[in-house]
Amino acid sequence: MSSYKTEVQNIRYNAATGSFEALVVMHEGAETLKFPTAIELPISSDFAFVSHKLVALAKKRRKENAGQLVSRTLRGQARFAHLGDLARQLTDSMRLTGRRAA
């Protein structure tokens, strides 16, 4: 089982839906996953309880891989690892392979 460094950002209560909403951010290795979450609870609910429920919901969605509204980013050098391949594809598509600059 994977372990995550998790943070809950911008918890707010939506009175129209009667739910707490937040962005749950999970840091896993070089990846950062962001899950928008919402859970119906009374406005009088304890902050720690609400946070725990929002994190549990995000972890469930992560496990089920059901996050259609998930933002996934890479940190550090892993973020740019694909640029070499991208440059090769570009030069190949422009037929620049093997040419020398004048």
Side-chain angles (χ1 to χ4, degrees), residues 1-99:
M1 174 158 211
S2 297
S3 63
Y4 305 97
K5 177 183 174 193
T6 307
E7 58 184 288
V8 182
Q9 298 179 349
N10 302 327
I11 295 178
R12 65 181 165 263
Y13 187 76
N14 184 337
T17 61
S19 61
F20 284 92
E21 302 171 340
L23 183 66
V24 177
V25 181
M26 295 179 181
H27 303 279
E28 179 183 328
E31 278 190 319
T32 299
L33 302 159
K34 297 178 181 180
F35 293 87
T37 57
I39 190 160
E40 289 184 29
L41 291 170
I43 195 167
S44 59
S45 298
D46 179 59
F47 180 80
F49 179 74
V50 171
S51 297
H52 175 75
K53 289 294 189 182
L54 290 167
V55 169
L57 178 61
K59 285 183 177 182
K60 179 182 175 191
R61 288 179 55 203
R62 170 70 170 114
K63 185 177 179 182
E64 294 172 351
N65 203 16
Q68 292 179 355
L69 295 175
V70 174
S71 172
R72 184 182 299 251
T73 57
L74 295 173
R75 290 192 310 263
Q77 292 180 333
R79 175 180 248 172
F80 303 107
H82 70 287
L83 291 181
D85 292 333
L86 187 62
R88 278 189 290 284
Q89 290 173 2
L90 180 62
T91 56
D92 290 347
S93 68
M94 295 176 68
R95 296 189 177 102
L96 296 175
T97 306
R99 289 189 177 181

